[in-house]
Amino acid sequence: MRTIRLRPLLFDELGLQLSMTDIAAPLLVAAITLVAALAVAGWIGGAALILHWSGGAALALTIQVPQAAEPAAQRSDTRLSAIRAVLEVTPGVASTQTLSNEQVSALLRPWLGNEFDNLNVPFPAVIAVRMTDNAADLDGLATRLTQSASGTVMEDHAVWADPLVDIIRGLRLCRNLVLVVVTLVMTAVVAIVTRWEFWVRSDVIRIISQIGASDGYIAQRFALRGASLAYIGGVIGGLLSLPIISAQTALVMPLIAGRAIDFAGVEAFSFLSVQFLLLPIVLPLSAAAISYCTVQVAMRRWLRRMP
Amino acid sequence: MVRFESVSFSYRGGNVRSGATYALRDVNFELGEGSFRWLLGASGAGKTTLLRLMSLSLQPTRGEVSVLGSVSSSLRRNVLARLRRQTGMIFSDFGLLPHLSAFDNVALPLRLGGRPEGQVRADVISMLRWLGLTEKLVSFPSDLSSGECQSVAIARAVIGRPRLLLADEPTVGLDASQSKRIIHLLIELHRLGSTVVIATHSQAQANSYPGLAWVMTRGSLAEVGCL
């Protein structure tokens, strides 16, 4: 005969609603979730900053022109003018800015210290160049600059981009390690709490089991309870992380605005902003899923040992 | 229904050759469907151990126990749960869940068996009314007398009309009138087709209803025929 299961919603045969862990477990999970949220938020903020920085650096050049005021070899004006003339006709150059003596001094003073004012050496002129894209023929430009004014040095800031990408990858690795550790800690905490609950309720479980409750039924009741407590803890942790995430979002959004393409194999910028929004939703669900699976496995294992 | 073949049991497990350690010694019997047995014996004779082996709460140290056609040593857990739902056990310590009311304690086997809640309510109220516990439906075990707890435990054991009912000193703590009522209930259940085993140390109680009896002495079982 087909039976219809109509177990009352609040029927709590295992006494799970009387548990001390109703308070302790969500708080533990909240703390763990908060750590996970901060790890992800920290990675996103750091990665966005570095991506923004490296994106700018990849398009920047610095050109140093020694003896800038002296006449150029092939022209009647100065070496500096000759260099500027080359830059004006070079495709891909978006803007140039020749730094004033005061600006150059301000750049060098921190490196040379108090002796800077006593130095009586000529400093090269410095031109900051911004390119329209990073596909320009920089080797050809360097050759033309040297031909126009020998000794001219061109520093391509794009050389900094690769280490920055490595840093981003390092940050991502750290984030992943933190998430793995957080998952392991959460699993261990849930397993310990479950063991405690099992021990506290061993008499009740024994009686329920003797009356005919299957291991699956008992494990399911514990697992659903554990998942709901973990979800509550996850929500608390997510809410606690919200102010930090919001502040981080406010800082990061201007940096990633309008950029939605992937950078050197690192996640797309647009995905970063989505992650911010998902953190308070995904983390509680993840906590609940981890808790559910852990309790199911642990309970079934311990129940099998019962007579 | 229930078959014991050379069953010995020691709470210490392992080697049972040292006679002092085992509670049950080389027990053999076969109990058919719809049987009735008194299980007589002094305290410590092994009655509770025998019932716990029959209820599959214990595994024999030696020998083989078969209950409802399944051998206990090779039972899968889900089959064990199903067999237990067909077995009613009245514990000498009541075994009531302290956080559940009398109603919910009695309803437990029906709910675990998946009965519709309407039927659960009707059956439980009817059973508790019959036992004179109508006023105690929502009382918790801590608010019940020893006799009332025993009655609730018995109600829970018989509510699902189990195929096998094992009662361990079911009338301890009850007055003469209640005891008579409970024994009458168990006998009625037997007449309806259940196999019933009642453990008691009271010969007088066993005499109240004629039937086959076992006597346990220091872990050994002997059938003494019809009382």
Side-chain angles (χ1 to χ4, degrees), chain B:
Chain B
M1 168 66 68
V2 182
R3 195 177 73 243
F4 274 44
E5 286 180 48
S6 306
V7 171
S8 297
F9 179 81
S10 165
Y11 282 99
R12 294 182 187 175
N15 187 359
V16 294
R17 283 180 195 162
S18 55
T21 61
Y22 58 98
L24 224 59
R25 221 184 301 195
D26 197 27
V27 172
N28 291 278
F29 68 82
E30 186 157 358
L31 196 59
E33 184 102 39
S35 305
F36 181 92
R37 287 289 187 285
W38 290 103
L39 178 58
L40 297 165
S43 285
K47 302 190 298 291
T48 301
T49 303
L50 182 74
L51 292 182
R52 291 185 70 190
L53 282 161
M54 291 173 78
S55 69
L56 303 170
S57 301
L58 294 174
Q59 285 287 336
T61 310
R62 284 187 176 179
E64 194 172 270
V65 173
S66 299
V67 177
L68 298 169
S70 299
V71 179
S72 68
S73 59
S74 59
L75 275 182
R76 292 175 60 180
R77 295 286 297 180
N78 57 340
V79 176
L80 178 63
R82 183 169 53 76
L83 292 180
R84 282 174 170 171
R85 283 198 290 273
Q86 297 176 46
T87 305
M89 176 85 191
I90 300 170
F91 304 91
S92 54
D93 61 352
F94 314 144
L96 297 180
L97 299 178
H99 56 280
L100 295 185
S101 66
F103 178 92
D104 283 336
N105 261 294
V106 176
L108 196 51
L110 300 182
R111 285 172 173 163
L112 287 174
R115 296 273 182 89
E117 190 60 18
Q119 192 184 335
V120 169
R121 283 185 170 277
D123 288 359
V124 173
I125 289 170
S126 164
M127 173 63 76
L128 289 176
R129 185 181 295 137
W130 190 84
L131 286 166
L133 292 170
T134 311
E135 303 296 317
K136 305 287 184 178
L137 282 178
V138 293
S139 298
F140 288 89
S142 55
D143 301 325
L144 300 174
S145 69
S146 176
E148 288 168 338
C149 282
Q150 184 69 309
S151 296
V152 171
I154 290 166
R156 187 180 66 188
V158 303
I159 188 86
R161 288 204 183 164
R163 289 175 65 191
L164 174 63
L165 180 69
L166 307 167
D168 190 6
E169 303 279 6
T171 57
V172 167
L174 302 182
D175 59 32
S177 161
Q178 283 175 316
S179 295
K180 196 173 171 187
R181 205 176 172 84
I182 292 303
I183 294 298
H184 175 71
L185 170 67
L186 300 181
I187 290 165
E188 276 304 306
L189 209 64
H190 165 238
R191 284 184 177 145
L192 288 170
S194 295
T195 301
V196 177
V197 178
I198 306 174
T200 179
H201 64 274
S202 165
Q203 178 78 45
Q205 187 172 67
N207 288 334
S208 67
Y209 178 71
L212 291 172
W214 287 326
V215 174
M216 287 217 74
T217 313
R218 293 180 187 172
S220 295
L221 185 72
E223 183 144 353
V224 295
C226 207
L227 289 173

Side-chain angles (χ1 to χ4, degrees), chain A residues 13-48:
Chain A
E13 67 276 48
L14 288 162
L16 298 175
Q17 288 166 16
L18 308 170
S19 171
M20 287 280 288
T21 54
D22 275 14
I23 298 168
L27 291 181
L28 281 169
V29 173
I32 294 168
T33 308
L34 180 60
V35 170
L38 295 183
V40 177
W43 173 78
I44 291 172

Side-chain angles (χ1 to χ4, degrees), chain A residues 31 50 57 62 65 93 102 107 134 151 155 170 187 191 213 219 224 247 255 268-269:
Chain A
I50 291 171
T62 303
V65 187
V93 172
E102 289 73 24
L107 284 173
N134 56 7
E155 187 180 352
T187 304
L224 287 176
L255 301 180
F269 281 103

Side-chain angles (χ1 to χ4, degrees), chain A residues 124-307:
Chain A
V126 177
I127 305 171
V129 180
R130 180 152 289 278
M131 309 298 286
T132 53
D133 60 66
N134 56 7
D137 176 17
L138 297 181
D139 291 338
L141 174 61
T143 305
R144 291 197 300 279
L145 292 175
T146 309
Q147 287 170 350
S148 299
S150 60
T152 297
V153 176
M154 186 184 82
E155 187 180 352
D156 177 8
H157 291 199
V159 298
W160 294 104
D162 289 343
L164 289 174
V165 170
D166 289 341
I167 292 173
I168 292 173
R169 291 198 175 119
L171 282 174
R172 187 174 54 178
L173 181 65
C174 288
R175 175 206 63 180
N176 290 343
L177 285 175
V178 168
L179 291 180
V180 167
V181 170
V182 160
T183 302
L184 291 175
V185 169
M186 172 108 73
T187 304
V189 166
V190 171
I192 290 167
V193 169
T194 307
R195 187 73 186 97
W196 164 259
E197 288 283 345
F198 187 86
W199 182 72
V200 167
R201 282 168 181 39
S202 56
D203 282 345
V204 172
I205 292 170
R206 182 179 53 77
I207 292 169
I208 298 267
S209 178
Q210 183 61 52
I211 290 170
S214 66
D215 291 359
Y217 175 86
I218 296 171
Q220 176 79 345
R221 301 272 292 113
F222 272 88
L224 287 176
R225 184 76 184 155
S228 61
L229 292 179
Y231 184 80
I232 291 168
V235 169
I236 293 171
L239 289 175
L240 289 175
S241 71
L242 264 184
I244 299 163
I245 292 173
S246 301
Q248 191 85 309
T249 307
L251 291 171
V252 167
M253 280 303 177
L255 301 180
I256 64 176
R259 307 177 72 166
I261 51 168
D262 141 313
F263 181 86
V266 182
E267 286 95 333
F269 281 103
S270 58
F271 185 60
L272 298 181
S273 53
V274 173
Q275 285 198 34
F276 273 118
L277 299 174
L278 289 182
L279 273 180
I281 301 165
V282 169
L283 286 178
L285 290 175
S286 303
I290 291 169
S291 178
Y292 181 87
C293 295
T294 305
V295 175
Q296 276 278 0
V297 171
M299 283 300 296
R300 283 173 186 269
R301 208 173 119 225
W302 292 321
L303 284 167
R304 271 200 297 273
R305 294 180 190 168
M306 287 187 80

